[in-house]
Amino acid sequence: MELSAFDQRRIAVCLGGLAEFSQDPDADDNDHGTVICGASETRAHIFRRYADRYHRSEFRGARYKYYVREAQILVRMVQSHATFAVFPGDSRTRFPIPTLVKSRMIHDRDSPCVLLPLDRRRHWGDVRAVARHDIPFRDKADRLVWRGVTTGQFKPRDARSAYSSRFHVATLRTSRTDIDIGYSGIMQVDDTNSDIPLDALRARLRPPLDLSQQLQSRYLLSLEGNDVATGLKWMLFSNSAVLMPRPTCESWACEGELVAFEHYVPVKDDLSDIEEVFDWCLTHPDSCEEIAHNGKRYIEAFLDKPRETEILRRIISAYLSKAPYRLRFGPMERLLQALPRRSGMAVSI
């Protein structure tokens, strides 16, 4: 299959600095939170190796199902008994060893962290729902909305760290009825890890808005949490214009390739210019409609399943050519791995 220039660019972005990786013999895999496993290895066998790190429930839930298992399915498309490393969760970490990740900091593109569409249903599942609920840009209300939970940094770890943009939602001071920004829930924060008291966060709680309700607005705000903004893909795919701070983290959607004023309208990280930027949007509806159109076209490039499969194969093949991992299995585990297993893409979109 012939791939476009954008497809080739995606492959390069997802592979990051893998081509320049050279193995450090002193590197300790276990210090980085990665799970090293075989593409056909059983869950029970993997868990026994990592029982001191993860509770059994985590290997019956999201960490295994949406990260380790999805990575296994994808890797088996290329090599059924390959060994690889995967980080099972949200990540802003720079791993020094070749690691399959859902997300990576944009400034870490020179690291050997390789992006794959892990936890795909959560991040891409709402994209197809947009077509059922969306309406034309001109039929939407001149309103800016955001709903999300309190994920991200609410207390910087050190002088080099910064508050999450979601932190600044609690500091917004606006009485405008056409700006509807608030938390849909309080989670992952308490009085020990937030520089804003919980009572102040609760004061910014707003009634939840489902996807169809948000799509009634011409303007949607997207804010990163623990890593990428989960809803950004469906927002870009909609007929609404996306406002957001410049992305710092990227995933399979290659958020670092998004261009301000082409795919989204930029706002400051601390949201201090949100009213000014929104006023610009209200006075430039034609420009914002074009930005919304460009965002939809950007996401459409990720929805061709045969093309996505070919891109995945090329990325995984390049990764496996550099992955330095080897595992030994006993007779029973080898027998279990020989049983037929599901292959193909982890989740259809």
Side-chain angles (χ1 to χ4, degrees):
M1 176 183 291
E2 185 175 352
L3 298 182
S4 69
F6 180 64
D7 294 332
Q8 298 286 357
R9 175 61 180 166
R10 285 178 56 194
I11 291 172
V13 169
C14 289
L15 288 174
L18 184 71
E20 288 73 42
F21 169 77
S22 58
Q23 186 173 1
D24 178 0
D26 296 325
D28 185 351
D29 305 328
N30 295 324
D31 287 345
H32 307 294
T34 57
V35 170
I36 297 174
C37 63
S40 297
E41 189 176 2
T42 62
R43 178 180 65 180
H45 198 264
I46 300 170
F47 173 72
R48 283 196 293 271
R49 193 160 58 252
Y50 292 99
D52 59 339
R53 182 189 299 170
Y54 298 114
H55 189 271
R56 184 176 297 276
S57 62
E58 294 181 280
F59 258 65
R60 288 176 175 165
R63 287 195 186 274
Y64 176 77
K65 184 176 181 181
Y66 299 126
Y67 292 93
V68 179
R69 180 174 174 270
E70 286 193 8
Q72 286 181 301
I73 293 171
L74 294 173
V75 171
R76 284 202 298 270
M77 291 194 310
V78 176
Q79 190 175 328
S80 61
H81 290 87
T83 303
F84 62 90
V86 59
F87 182 76
D90 299 337
S91 174
R92 287 176 171 260
T93 302
R94 181 188 178 96
F95 297 102
I97 55 177
T99 305
L100 302 176
V101 296
K102 180 194 73 178
S103 54
R104 179 188 67 206
M105 298 299 288
I106 293 170
H107 62 63
D108 282 339
R109 283 185 175 179
D110 60 338
S111 76
C113 299
V114 173
L115 296 170
L116 285 186
L118 306 178
D119 200 7
R120 188 161 196 161
R121 188 181 299 278
R122 179 167 174 260
H123 284 260
W124 290 87
D126 284 335
V127 170
R128 294 218 179 269
V130 169
R132 297 196 301 271
H133 300 288
D134 210 4
I135 58 177
F137 179 86
R138 297 285 170 164
D139 294 341
K140 296 173 184 257
D142 271 333
R143 185 172 61 241
L144 172 63
V145 301
W146 179 80
R147 288 295 186 275
V149 296
T150 54
T151 53
Q153 274 200 95
F154 278 59
K155 189 181 188 71
R157 294 185 299 270
D158 50 51
R160 295 176 298 176
S161 301
Y163 290 114
S164 165
S165 291
R166 297 189 181 203
F167 170 92
H168 297 289
V169 168
T171 68
L172 285 178
R173 297 291 180 267
T174 179
S175 58
R176 294 177 57 162
T177 58
D178 55 358
I179 297 179
D180 184 7
I181 298 174
Y183 299 120
S184 56
I186 308 296
M187 63 180 296
Q188 297 185 12
V189 297
D190 54 39
D191 289 327
T192 67
N193 62 6
S194 173
D195 285 341
I196 294 181
L198 288 183
D199 286 344
L201 296 176
R202 294 189 185 103
R204 292 296 305 189
L205 284 171
R206 298 292 183 271
L209 297 175
D210 62 25
L211 181 144
S212 62
Q213 291 173 309
Q214 294 182 59
L215 288 173
Q216 301 302 306
S217 299
R218 283 187 182 176
Y219 306 100
L220 303 174
L221 181 63
S222 177
L223 301 176
E224 292 181 338
N226 290 332
D227 52 17
V228 296
T230 305
L232 178 58
K233 275 73 75 177
W234 72 257
M235 290 182 186
L236 288 170
F237 193 59
S238 76
N239 295 323
S240 300
V242 174
L243 282 66
M244 67 179 188
R246 189 177 300 276
T248 65
C249 196
E250 62 187 347
S251 66
W252 185 250
C254 299
E255 287 86 348
E257 298 298 292
L258 294 169
V259 179
F261 291 110
E262 179 179 343
H263 303 110
Y264 69 96
V265 182
V267 297
K268 292 181 179 178
D269 293 343
D270 64 2
L271 308 181
S272 60
D273 62 344
I274 195 76
E275 290 193 10
E276 176 186 348
V277 172
F278 182 47
D279 284 337
W280 178 89
C281 293
L282 294 176
T283 56
H284 295 81
D286 292 341
S287 297
C288 290
E289 186 173 16
E290 180 65 20
I291 289 170
H293 176 70
N294 292 339
K296 180 184 285 286
R297 289 186 60 192
Y298 182 88
I299 294 299
E300 282 175 346
F302 295 80
L303 303 182
D304 183 325
K305 186 174 179 179
R307 189 172 298 273
E308 290 295 282
T309 300
E310 178 62 23
I311 291 171
L312 278 164
R313 287 184 183 278
R314 296 191 188 193
I315 289 171
I316 293 167
S317 294
Y319 170 82
L320 294 178
S321 72
K322 286 281 190 175
Y325 314 109
R326 299 292 182 271
L327 292 173
R328 293 183 178 180
F329 303 107
M332 180 57 70
E333 178 61 21
R334 290 201 304 271
L335 177 62
L336 292 172
Q337 291 185 31
L339 297 175
R341 289 181 177 273
R342 175 187 171 196
S343 61
M345 296 185 70
V347 179
S348 298
I349 60 173

